[in-house]
Amino acid sequence: MGAWYKKAVIYQIYPKSFKDSNNDGVGDLAGITEKLDYVQQLGANTIWLNPIFVSPQVDNGYDVSNYFAIDPILGTMDDFTKLVTEMHKRKMYLLLDLPINDTSDQHPWFQDAIKNKDSIFREYYIWGENNGERPNNWGSFFGGSAWEKDPNGGAQYYCHLFDKRMPDLNWQNHEVRKSMADIAKFWIDKGVDGFRLDAFIHIAKANLQQNILNQDTEFPMDSSLYANLPNVKTYLQNFIKLVKDDNPEVFFLGEASSADAYQAAEYTRPNQFGCDMVVSSDNYGEIYPFKDPNIPKFFQPRQLDSTHFKETFSVWEAVLENISLPALTWGNHDISRVLNRLNVNAGDEDFPKALAVCMYLQRGIPIIYYGEEIGMRNLNYKKLKDFHDQRAMDLIQLLQGLGYADDDIIQLLNQQDEMTARGPFQWKNEKYVGFSQHHPWNWADHNTVTAEDAESDSEGLLAFYRAVLKIKNTPLFSEGSYVLLNTKTNIYAYERELNGQKGFVVVNLGKQPENYRIPTIKIIHTILANKANSLVDNVVTMAAGGSIVVMEE
């Protein structure tokens, strides 16, 4: 593992929503460059950008039509070069989001494939048919069938696990793996330090003749047929080896949304040309206490459960020890913001701090979603027609058909839908929050926090985040061993140790005060606390949402 990303602190930026430099309502690369000092002062040394390539924007940039150019809505190649130059001046690193499971149907490969049945690019995609019908009954993640008829006629259908305008690539084809490696090398030559591999767990599929069995729906879904299959690792290793043979320090962060810790270990084994780290949506420590059988799991109301959180991280830390580093994150662009998902009260200034301490000082690499550090919450849409993402529109159709009231659907979507988490970064107390002088591309009611106000609050969330990440950047908390301690249900506590030096993190995730004795006979002192915690004879008393970081003297 390369030295630089062992100590990475990643800040995820949704480019369209961070800073608009030319006042067209869409964030851009020049706006990100303008705000690099802010990101660095937070304590992050790495930026992950959601896709910036040319795209029809069917799926907000994940449908790529040209991997070798910047989408004009985000800027130019000169803007990109300036961004990389300014980041490297600051000793910061850049990760690009690289969609590898599929392309846009406007990509030249696909256009050539459908215009010429003898095209070499025909084999870049997945085709099938069964006596002129779809080869199987697989459902798409975006609703309906995962198969679409060849637009230029004939009996064949192409596979699309996502939108029908996003055909899946055929990773069985070595030329696909080589072409994707060439794309990565092109951006490495431009100064990129690594990639987040979008949806890589889907690049291998089962036998296309295999239907999903025992389902009542017309187009059911069963990820066991197209997620985390053994050939994913084979294809991935071949692709990454092609890149790393010449660029060994390049960092690969894989999006393994449904992977468990054991699958993550297989994807990240050292010296096997896999990912260096994977991020999964399975490690937030959430449960679904009020399950409605009519509502898909993604939209179910959630809450943080201390016991489940402990069980999750004890497994991930144990399984990945001596293999790779866990991803430490509370969310990203594909899920609503953490303070909304967990129903944290608007006036609670302590629990957001406790969440930061609890997650980011563990063994692993923090990934902070833009705006989290100032307490940004979801956008709050007023009408169902304001929701334009496919997943939300499918839910609206489903629940309206079942007789749910529109107000109840809006409330559910405002708490759980991913688009609510993609609002403009709230820089200032202005009409459009200092993001732009133009009406933003994604806009609705929002909370009133701003970076400008946060900068002047020495006891606020931003100042606390900076303190947490300063601690994270010390050798003990970036390199030390990790042990999750046995505690009462609502206490989350762990020990970090390096060369005989020990630090302890203790967080009260409950709603009542708690006492906890730090397991050491040495004298300890507090290096960070989010509220007035008493520390007497190594016993800490914490209010609800209290957190403390201590060191042995």
Side-chain angles (χ1 to χ4, degrees):
M1 179 178 283
W4 76 264
Y5 44 83
K6 284 183 180 179
K7 298 183 179 180
V9 174
I10 300 172
Y11 190 78
Q12 183 192 350
I13 291 177
Y14 203 73
K16 292 167 65 176
S17 296
F18 196 60
K19 184 67 172 72
D20 175 16
S21 71
N22 61 355
N23 291 314
D24 63 356
V26 180
D28 46 47
L29 298 180
I32 296 169
T33 302
E34 179 186 328
K35 295 297 183 180
L36 286 178
D37 287 342
Y38 169 84
V39 177
Q40 186 176 43
Q41 289 163 9
L42 176 63
N45 62 0
T46 305
I47 290 176
W48 153 26
L49 296 182
N50 289 98
I52 61 173
F53 315 115
V54 175
S55 166
Q57 298 294 317
V58 168
D59 190 25
N60 288 293
Y62 283 92
D63 51 315
V64 179
S65 56
N66 184 353
Y67 285 97
F68 297 100
I70 304 294
D71 196 293
I73 65 172
L74 300 176
T76 65
M77 191 62 81
D78 286 343
D79 293 328
F80 179 81
T81 300
K82 183 175 180 181
L83 173 62
V84 172
T85 300
E86 291 299 319
M87 287 186 66
H88 288 170
K89 279 183 184 177
R90 292 167 173 80
K91 294 182 169 51
M92 299 175 73
Y93 303 91
L94 179 61
L95 308 181
L96 293 187
D97 211 322
L98 186 63
I100 66 169
N101 176 72
D102 45 71
T103 70
S104 166
D105 63 356
Q106 299 305 304
H107 194 286
W109 296 343
F110 190 73
Q111 287 296 303
D112 196 68
I114 61 176
K115 292 173 183 175
N116 177 9
K117 297 291 173 60
D118 296 322
S119 167
I120 62 169
F121 296 111
R122 190 81 179 176
E123 298 304 315
Y124 271 48
Y125 295 92
I126 301 172
W127 302 89
E129 57 93 17
N130 181 15
N131 296 321
E133 301 296 326
R134 295 179 180 90
N136 59 51
N137 66 345
W138 297 358
S140 161
F141 292 122
F142 281 20
S145 173
W147 296 92
E148 186 72 11
K149 199 77 177 283
D150 184 337
N152 274 9
Q156 288 194 312
Y157 293 74
Y158 66 86
C159 180
H160 61 92
L161 291 183
F162 297 91
D163 191 278
K164 67 181 182 180
R165 291 161 290 182
M166 300 166 62
D168 280 31
L169 288 164
N170 174 21
W171 275 75
Q172 280 187 296
N173 183 352
H174 176 76
E175 291 302 316
V176 167
R177 305 196 290 271
K178 183 178 182 300
S179 293
M180 295 306 296
D182 288 342
I183 291 166
K185 291 176 183 179
F186 172 85
W187 290 104
I188 292 167
D189 289 343
K190 296 285 185 184
V192 169
D193 302 290
F195 301 91
R196 182 252 192 193
L197 301 180
D198 180 67
F200 84 89
I201 61 173
H202 301 300
I203 60 176
K205 276 78 170 175
N207 187 325
L208 300 184
Q209 295 179 345
Q210 179 62 61
N211 282 298
I212 297 171
L213 307 179
N214 303 318
Q215 299 288 332
D216 296 329
T217 58
E218 182 180 10
F219 300 116
M221 297 179 62
D222 183 352
S223 60
S224 64
L225 297 182
Y226 40 74
N228 297 305
L229 292 173
N231 273 338
V232 169
K233 184 176 178 180
T234 302
Y235 302 154
L236 184 72
Q237 287 175 328
N238 182 253
F239 157 68
I240 290 180
K241 185 177 187 302
L242 288 171
V243 178
K244 283 206 171 190
D245 275 347
D246 297 322
N247 307 278
E249 290 297 300
V250 169
F251 176 59
F252 282 98
L253 167 63
E255 184 217 1
S257 57
S258 61
D260 61 27
Y262 297 93
Q263 290 167 325
E266 287 306 307
Y267 290 136
T268 59
R269 289 194 177 277
N271 305 316
Q272 289 192 7
F273 292 104
C275 292
D276 299 295
M277 184 174 82
V278 297
V279 59
S280 169
S281 57
D282 195 38
N283 63 355
Y284 297 134
E286 298 169 344
I287 61 171
Y288 303 81
F290 312 112
K291 192 163 185 180
D292 182 335
N294 293 323
I295 298 175
K297 182 179 178 182
F298 180 85
F299 289 105
Q300 292 283 348
R302 316 165 193 215
Q303 71 181 38
L304 182 65
D305 180 78
S306 301
T307 299
H308 182 53
F309 192 41
K310 293 175 187 178
E311 291 171 349
T312 298
F313 267 92
S314 65
V315 171
W316 276 79
E317 292 282 2
V319 172
L320 295 185
E321 186 177 12
N322 299 320
I323 293 177
S324 61
L325 293 170
L328 308 175
T329 179
W330 284 116
N332 56 50
H333 63 290
D334 278 334
I335 194 169
S336 61
R337 288 188 176 271
V338 62
L339 299 184
N340 293 85
R341 294 201 320 274
L342 302 185
N343 286 305
V344 178
N345 292 331
D348 190 338
E349 298 180 355
D350 292 304
F351 201 70
K353 297 177 182 178
L355 291 175
V357 168
C358 187
M359 180 66 77
Y360 299 134
L361 295 182
Q362 298 183 103
R363 191 184 81 91
I365 297 177
I367 306 177
I368 298 164
Y369 189 51
Y370 79 100
E372 174 192 313
E373 72 282 1
I374 61 172
M376 280 178 57
R377 292 175 179 258
N378 287 351
L379 295 178
N380 191 46
Y381 298 108
K382 295 296 187 183
K383 301 175 182 178
L384 287 177
K385 68 179 182 180
D386 294 334
F387 293 91
H388 296 294
D389 58 297
Q390 189 64 50
R391 187 151 36 186
M393 291 190 291
D394 288 344
L395 183 77
I396 292 168
Q397 183 179 16
L398 170 68
L399 296 186
Q400 284 183 329
L402 294 171
Y404 284 68
D406 285 358
D407 286 348
D408 292 338
I409 301 174
I410 290 172
Q411 182 179 359
L412 179 64
L413 287 171
N414 277 329
Q415 184 186 39
Q416 303 292 351
D417 186 54
E418 60 196 29
M419 288 304 295
T420 63
R422 301 178 186 180
F425 188 97
Q426 294 164 201
W427 294 104
K428 297 180 180 180
N429 294 302
E430 296 178 356
K431 182 178 181 181
Y432 295 127
V433 295
F435 165 75
S436 178
Q437 298 299 313
H438 188 282
H439 189 86
W441 74 281
N442 187 20
W443 185 248
D445 288 350
H446 50 273
N447 66 342
T448 59
V449 301
T450 67
E452 183 178 50
D453 290 341
E455 289 284 2
S456 61
D457 185 358
S458 61
E459 301 297 322
L461 184 59
L462 177 61
F464 194 82
Y465 258 73
R466 288 171 173 169
V468 170
L469 296 182
K470 185 176 181 180
I471 294 171
K472 180 66 180 182
N473 283 318
T474 63
L476 174 60
F477 285 92
S478 63
E479 303 172 35
S481 64
Y482 171 96
V483 175
L484 188 61
L485 301 173
N486 193 18
T487 64
K488 290 187 263 185
T489 299
N490 289 324
I491 294 292
Y492 193 91
Y494 52 91
E495 172 192 300
R496 304 297 308 270
E497 181 176 6
L498 182 67
N499 299 326
Q501 182 185 33
K502 289 185 179 181
F504 298 89
V505 175
V506 185
V507 180
N508 179 9
L509 296 174
K511 298 185 182 300
Q512 302 296 328
E514 296 277 7
N515 297 325
Y516 179 73
R517 177 178 291 278
I518 307 293
T520 178
I521 60 175
K522 294 184 178 180
I523 297 173
I524 56 177
H525 66 280
T526 301
I527 59 173
L528 181 66
N530 74 334
K531 64 196 312 179
N533 300 294
S534 65
L535 178 61
V536 179
D537 295 331
N538 291 0
V539 175
V540 60
T541 300
M542 294 181 294
S547 62
I548 190 168
V549 184
V550 301
M551 297 277 290
E552 290 181 342
E553 293 184 355

